[in-house]
């Protein structure tokens, strides 16, 4: 029976795995190049400068509208598409971040066997050359092995409690391996960078920072809008987002700076304060005041005090008394909102409000409103005096409740208060990666402390019947270790006067 000889595989087929292996090795060499990681880090820092030079929208509709007004709709839309208005969440910034993290991970994997070996290696009984290096010394001392406990106590003072290895009946080695964790410092830094970057990516795709809502005093809301960009026509684009709870604005306060020249209040706010209540499942879960840079956090959401909106038509509270009687009743109205009283053919309307009404001859008289009487058709009612028609208008003061009685009208008005209603402007963020970022930052700080402030030190003291020998190695902070070793030598020779040093 004859066998058919096998057909040899084509050369190209045989060389394909080898070529792929060489390509993989080349790519791995590129990825594990420390210079490449430094390049990505520098590029990331350079790109971050853009976010400093170009003011970011930070989730504010007003800021984006300002960009549209200054740049025009087309340029604002281009800036938005390029991610220049939100640099740290742009696709290209995240791409560089991922490339940097890939390079760091590759370098860490490539160097792990060496670092792990240095971290885990122990030499309780080292080779003879450990006692012949620059940080070594030998002494002659007969019967040194009989004073092992004294040597152990002295060694512990400088290098920590040692591991004792009895090599023979008259020979022992004291061994200290301190600071081995410092070898892992760079890995804690690397893991911290990767963790922080993962938190940033997590916040980008599963969170947002550009939510916004306005809530009127006394009202609540369970939804916000999220800023999504600007159209080529200059329209601010938003999308709705439902909250898993409701937010109620119980109170809002704004304070304004005084004009340094006149002492009067300006329109430049010096303080915003909102009292917010979280309504979760029909119950009041929490209530607290928030200020600028002092947000409220609940359920993974953060509410920042960002702005406010003042209603143009405040509520005017009046007390109305029928002339000649003690009958008095409250009346609530708005500016430019007509109302009619019983027994009156004409209607009334509050035309304006002054917080500090001033008459040149009398000075500042405090809060006041101007009331005008009008016809059924809304035209001003008039009265003829000295042959001229004049509108029926009068003032009502809060601090002078009897002032309107001089008018001798059918009804006497007293101003109780004018309530300005505000809507608090809140910026809303949801960042599920925030604790991941904090964890990564803590790991980086811990790793840098290990890497820069501590060192890995190995120390040996061999004690025999003829004398003693010291050897040591240090990873960094060599000067500090040399000073410690020198102090140890001095203490040993003081405690053992008979010990005589030998040049090595």
């Amino acid at each position: 029976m004859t066998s058919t000889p096998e057909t040899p595989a084509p050369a190209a087929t045989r060389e394909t795995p080898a070529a792929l292996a060489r390509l993989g090795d080349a790519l791995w060499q590129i990825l594990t190049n420390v210079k490449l990681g430094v390049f990505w880090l520098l590029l990331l820092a350079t790109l971050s400068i853009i976010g400093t030079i170009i003011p970011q929208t930070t989730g504010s509709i007003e800021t984006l509208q300002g960009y549209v007004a200054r740049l025009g709709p087309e340029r604002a839309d281009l800036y938005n598409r390029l991610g220049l208005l939100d640099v740290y969440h742009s696709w290209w910034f995240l791409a560089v971040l991922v490339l940097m993290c890939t390079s760091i991970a590759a370098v860490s994997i490539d160097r792990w066997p060496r670092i792990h070996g240095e971290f885990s290696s122990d030499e309780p009984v080292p080779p003879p050359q450990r006692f012949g290096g620059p940080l070594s010394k030998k002494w002659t001392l007969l019967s040194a092995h009989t004073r092992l406990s004294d040597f152990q106590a002295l060694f512990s003072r400088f290098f920590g409690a040692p591991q004792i290895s009895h090599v023979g009946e008259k020979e022992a080695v004291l061994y200290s391996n301190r600071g081995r964790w410092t070898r892992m410092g760079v890995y804690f830094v690397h893991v911290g960078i990767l963790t922080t970057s993962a938190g940033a990516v997590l916040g980008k795709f599963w969170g947002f920072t550009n939510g916004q809502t306005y809530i009127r005093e006394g009202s609540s809301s369970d939804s916000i809008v999220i800023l999504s960009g600007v159209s080529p026509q200059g329209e601010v684009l938003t999308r709705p987002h439902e909250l898993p709870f409701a937010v109620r604005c119980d109170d809002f306060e704004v304070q304004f700076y005084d004009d340094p020249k006149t002492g009067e209040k300006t329109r430049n706010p010096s303080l915003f304060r909102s009292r917010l209540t979280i309504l979760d499942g029909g119950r009041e879960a929490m209530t607290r005041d928030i200020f600028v840079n002092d947000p409220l956090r609940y359920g993974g959401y953060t509410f920042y005090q960002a702005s406010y909106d003042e209603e143009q038509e405040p509520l005017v509270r009046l007390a109305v008394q029928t002339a000649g009687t003690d009958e008095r009743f409250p009346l609530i109205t708005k500016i430019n909102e007509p109302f009619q009283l019983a027994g009156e053919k004409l209607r009334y309307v509050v035309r304006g409000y002054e917080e500090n009404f001033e008459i040149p001859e009398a000075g500042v008289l405090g809060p006041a409103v101007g009331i005008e009487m009008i016809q059924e058709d809304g035209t001003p009612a008039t009265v003829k005096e000295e042959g001229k028609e004049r509108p029926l208008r009068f003032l009502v003061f809060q601090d002078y409740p009897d002032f309107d009685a001089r008018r001798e009208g059918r009804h006497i008005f007293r101003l109780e208060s004018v309530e300005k209603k505000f809507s608090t402007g809140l910026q809303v963020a949801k960042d599920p990666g925030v604790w991941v970022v904090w964890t990564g930052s803590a790991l980086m700080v811990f790793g840098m402390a290990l890497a820069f402030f501590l060192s890995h030190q190995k120390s040996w003291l061999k004690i025999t019947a003829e004398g003693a020998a010291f050897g040591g190695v240090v990873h960094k902070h060599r000067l500090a270790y040399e000073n410690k070793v020198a102090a140890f030598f001095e203490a040993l020779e003081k405690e053992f006067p008979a010990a005589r040093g030998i040049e090595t």
Side-chain angles (χ1 to χ4, degrees), residues 290-443:
I290 69 168
F291 302 84
V292 175
N293 297 326
D294 184 16
L296 178 148
R297 294 181 173 87
Y298 184 83
Y301 292 82
T302 304
F303 298 87
Y304 298 90
Q305 182 67 72
S307 60
Y308 72 96
D309 187 34
E310 182 179 350
E311 290 188 357
Q312 299 299 316
E313 297 181 358
L315 292 178
V316 180
R317 295 183 180 272
L318 301 169
V320 184
Q321 179 181 350
T322 303
T325 70
D326 293 331
E327 179 186 355
R328 183 182 297 178
F329 58 91
L331 178 74
I332 301 177
T333 186
K334 292 184 177 180
I335 293 177
N336 297 321
E337 185 178 272
F339 60 90
Q340 194 163 12
L341 301 177
E344 293 274 13
K345 292 183 178 180
L346 299 176
R347 296 192 296 170
Y348 297 87
V349 61
V350 178
R351 288 303 189 191
Y353 164 72
E354 285 288 341
E355 189 172 353
N356 292 294
F357 191 86
E358 183 177 1
I359 298 178
E361 297 80 6
V364 178
L365 301 179
V369 294
I371 298 180
E372 183 180 37
M373 301 179 70
I374 60 175
Q375 305 282 353
E376 289 288 339
D377 60 0
T379 58
T382 59
V383 64
K384 183 176 289 188
E385 285 186 356
E386 299 177 358
K388 293 183 179 180
E389 297 284 341
R390 70 169 184 83
L392 286 174
R393 298 172 180 167
F394 55 93
L395 293 171
V396 179
F397 293 91
Q398 183 173 335
D399 298 337
Y400 301 92
D402 298 326
F403 183 84
D404 188 49
R406 305 175 186 179
R407 186 172 53 87
E408 297 182 353
R410 182 185 294 273
H411 293 94
I412 301 170
F413 291 87
R414 293 177 173 84
L415 177 61
E416 298 289 336
S417 65
V418 176
E419 298 179 2
K420 292 184 177 180
K421 286 290 185 179
F422 291 89
S423 293
T424 181
L426 305 175
Q427 181 181 339
V428 187
K430 181 183 181 182
D431 191 353
V434 65
W435 290 110
V436 180
V437 172
W438 279 111
T439 301
S441 300
L443 289 172

Side-chain angles (χ1 to χ4, degrees), residues 22 28 42-43 45 73 247 276 396 402 435 496:
R22 288 194 298 272
W28 185 249
L42 293 176
L43 179 59
V247 183
L276 302 181
V396 179
D402 298 326
W435 290 110
F496 301 91

Side-chain angles (χ1 to χ4, degrees), residues 170-205:
K170 297 182 179 182
E171 182 176 335
V173 178
L174 307 183
Y175 171 60
S176 170
N177 187 358
R178 304 185 70 180
R180 67 170 70 198
W181 277 99
T182 61
R183 298 283 187 171
M184 301 296 293
V186 66
Y187 275 86
F188 279 103
V189 173
H190 286 183
V191 172
I193 293 174
L194 296 177
T195 304
T196 302
S197 302
V201 174
L202 186 66
K204 162 65 178 178
F205 291 102

